[in-house]
Amino acid sequence: MAAKKTNHSSPSILMHACSDDPDMLYFSRFHASDPYLAFTVGRRKIALASVLEFGRMRRESGFDEVLLLPEVQKAAARRFRLPKGELAGNRDVVRHLAREYGIREFLVGDRFPAGLAFALRDAGIKLSAAAPGALFPSRIQKTAAEVEAIRQGNLGSAAGFRAVAKALRDSKVRAGGQLFLGGKVLTAERLRGLIETAAMEQGGIAQQTIVAPGDQACDCHDQGTGPIRAGELIVVDIFPRRPADGYWGDMTRTFLKGKASDAQRRMVRAVRKAEQLAIGMIKPGVTGGAVHRAVEAFFGKEGYEAVKDSEDPSGFFHGLGHGLGLEVHEEPFMRPTAKWKFKKGMCVTVEPGLYYRGIGGCRWEDVVHLIPGGNELISKAPYKWEIP
């Protein structure tokens, strides 16, 4: 390996991960199933590839330079006089790269392997840790291509909702209010299977999908189990990931088979109005906290009391939304105390909800993209929730 030695006063980013790590996928734009080393030298991005990945990484990745790992390992072994025939491990490879490129300090992310970090520090390598989200702050503002990838992800969610609506329309109500579809009991598990198939046909993989009927929805991340019954609110939260590029969709709709009660109708209407209120407020320069607090105030005026930080919370007790991209939950997060401001290019979910045992749960969730002066929806699905 021939490299020009230069001294760098600012830390070089050091990564060791596979493409399951969203920062590594963002950094590399390369899908790899095994962890590998990558680093920066100034503005250049450099990776070390095995023989198996070398050619593909050179062709497909966003790296400026790809080094063949065995060659670097041999060079490191010579430099540190390892026993004949012994290849250098990651610790010595990084030590070698630091000397070869004149790197005085490495900056690592919050997912960097702890074992390797300790080994490097013990070997005298200076490391500093970036706060969550700070390694690549540009991730928070999406490019046009990223926005389109999220929009495509949401097509998978929309396809899932269509499958749910059709199943509910085609189902029959029998004794005890249970729904039957094709002569068999319609369960949350069956609906989840229909959703997964529909999302896959749109290029997305939907896992851990929430289909929560009745009071199960009051535990917001309960995936839902068992029979679906007429007259129950059903919270359906679909968040498919696109294997092609790693971006996520994330949308929620609420359904009910049959005729809703007055209390259910009033709650569903309030949640939809809250979502519209929030979307109308979101524009560059507005703080995330201000939007969240406005929704809380609206629910309070409508008479919906919230119980938070409890073993059995109720009302509107969760965050209003979050960033969406290479993670289904990423910065920024809309909470009451959030002081960050919306910026052009951000993509965030807006998902108010109300949950009361005995009535059930309701959540509407869409995704907005921040544009000059406001936002645009990059999710689309009907809001029809009562299915006859």
Side-chain angles (χ1 to χ4, degrees), residues 107-121:
L107 179 67
V108 300
D110 58 319
R111 298 182 185 88
F112 191 82
L116 180 55
F118 285 126
L120 291 173
R121 284 189 171 179

Side-chain angles (χ1 to χ4, degrees), residues 119-157:
L120 291 173
R121 284 189 171 179
D122 290 345
I125 298 294
K126 185 176 181 181
L127 298 178
S128 57
L135 196 62
F136 301 112
S138 56
R139 274 185 57 192
I140 206 167
Q141 292 175 275
K142 272 57 178 181
T143 64
E146 289 178 296
V147 173
E148 182 58 28
I150 297 169
R151 193 192 306 271
Q152 292 297 317
N154 282 327
L155 292 180
S157 299

Side-chain angles (χ1 to χ4, degrees), residues 83-299:
K84 187 176 181 180
E86 182 177 330
L87 289 176
N90 286 332
R91 184 199 68 167
D92 289 331
V93 164
V94 174
R95 290 172 64 204
H96 170 72
L97 293 171
R99 294 193 187 184
E100 195 74 9
Y101 286 91
I103 298 171
R104 297 177 180 175
E105 181 181 359
F106 286 107
L107 179 67
V108 300
D110 58 319
R111 298 182 185 88
F112 191 82
L116 180 55
F118 285 126
L120 291 173
R121 284 189 171 179
D122 290 345
I125 298 294
K126 185 176 181 181
L127 298 178
S128 57
L135 196 62
F136 301 112
S138 56
R139 274 185 57 192
I140 206 167
Q141 292 175 275
K142 272 57 178 181
T143 64
E146 289 178 296
V147 173
E148 182 58 28
I150 297 169
R151 193 192 306 271
Q152 292 297 317
N154 282 327
L155 292 180
S157 299
F161 296 135
R162 289 195 296 272
V164 170
K166 183 178 186 306
L168 293 176
R169 280 196 305 270
D170 293 345
S171 64
K172 307 298 182 184
V173 182
R174 294 190 181 173
Q178 283 193 2
L179 303 187
F180 281 71
L181 179 66
K184 297 180 181 179
V185 175
L186 181 62
T187 63
E189 291 85 351
R190 285 188 70 189
L191 280 178
R192 197 153 33 244
L194 295 173
I195 290 167
E196 290 169 358
T197 300
M200 191 177 297
E201 290 174 351
Q202 292 290 330
I205 304 298
Q207 295 181 312
Q208 299 180 320
T209 300
I210 293 171
V211 182
D215 284 352
Q216 292 182 51
C218 295
D219 183 352
C220 285
H221 285 175
D222 189 329
Q223 291 184 40
T225 58
I228 305 294
R229 293 178 170 82
E232 284 186 323
L233 292 170
I234 313 162
V235 172
V236 181
D237 191 339
I238 309 173
F239 36 98
R241 184 176 187 263
R242 288 164 43 86
D245 49 38
Y247 284 84
W248 295 76
D250 191 10
M251 297 170 65
T252 304
R253 293 292 185 264
T254 299
F255 296 91
L256 180 145
K257 171 70 173 181
K259 186 175 182 181
S261 68
D262 290 342
Q264 289 170 330
R265 282 203 186 93
R266 181 173 176 270
M267 188 170 78
V268 171
R269 185 166 54 246
V271 176
R272 180 71 178 114
K273 286 183 178 180
E275 187 193 28
Q276 292 172 317
L277 168 67
I279 291 173
M281 288 182 65
I282 293 174
K283 62 182 179 180
V286 174
T287 67
V291 181
H292 183 109
R293 292 192 299 272
V295 168
E296 285 187 321
F298 169 77
F299 281 140

